Amino acid sequence: MQSKQELRKFGLIMAGVITVLFGLMIPVISNNSYPLWPWTIASVFLIVSIIHPKLLNQVYKLWMEIGHVLGWINTRIILAVLFFGILTPVGLIMRILGKDPLLKKVDANLASYRVICKPIESNEFERPF
């Protein structure tokens, strides 16, 4: 169960967003008349959030569940776009150019793939970056 203050804040935000988005912006953008339904729903949210915010608990839970599902879907879409839109082309370009930054190519002439690091000098500890 959410606190009264959190439910009141949720109701007021919902009333404001419904009013601005569906009551004002969409009719202006689409050059339509102002519909009555967004104002009615926003008024109900406003009145309930002021008088008895605990009634909004089930609506709040449903809204949070919808948000979690949409977040899960959006994360997968964004990660797929980044992977296939950025990482895959960069990898293909590096293969075409013959770059191997991880040194993954097999070399039969090498006795070991160990890379010897250069010794650290004492002046590098004063300003490491």
Side-chain angles (χ1 to χ4, degrees), residues 21-120:
L21 186 63
F22 296 107
L24 296 174
M25 291 191 65
I26 291 178
V28 168
I29 292 171
S30 62
N31 292 328
N32 291 332
S33 63
Y34 293 98
L36 184 61
W37 67 267
W39 298 93
T40 306
I41 294 172
S43 299
V44 170
F45 268 107
L46 181 67
I47 292 169
V48 170
S49 65
I50 291 173
I51 295 174
H52 193 46
K54 296 275 185 184
L55 292 175
L56 294 174
N57 194 37
Q58 294 301 322
V59 177
Y60 178 83
K61 286 181 182 178
L62 176 68
W63 189 255
M64 290 298 121
E65 286 298 318
I66 292 170
H68 286 297
V69 170
L70 290 176
W72 187 87
I73 293 169
N74 283 341
T75 302
R76 273 50 180 191
I77 291 171
I78 290 169
L79 288 175
V81 166
L82 286 175
F83 181 79
F84 292 111
I86 296 174
L87 295 178
T88 302
V90 168
L92 292 174
I93 291 170
M94 289 181 74
R95 278 191 182 192
I96 291 169
L97 296 176
K99 304 286 184 183
D100 187 20
L102 296 178
L103 304 173
K104 292 177 12 178
K105 290 182 181 174
V106 177
D107 190 356
N109 298 328
L110 291 177
S112 171
Y113 287 101
R114 181 176 178 197
V115 178
I116 306 296
C117 297
K118 66 174 185 144
I120 299 174

Side-chain angles (χ1 to χ4, degrees), residues 2-31:
Q2 301 301 317
S3 68
K4 273 179 133 179
Q5 183 180 7
E6 194 169 336
L7 291 172
R8 180 171 287 132
K9 190 186 324 180
F10 168 72
L12 294 174
I13 289 172
M14 287 296 286
V17 168
I18 290 170
T19 300
V20 171
L21 186 63
F22 296 107
L24 296 174
M25 291 191 65
I26 291 178
V28 168
I29 292 171
S30 62
N31 292 328

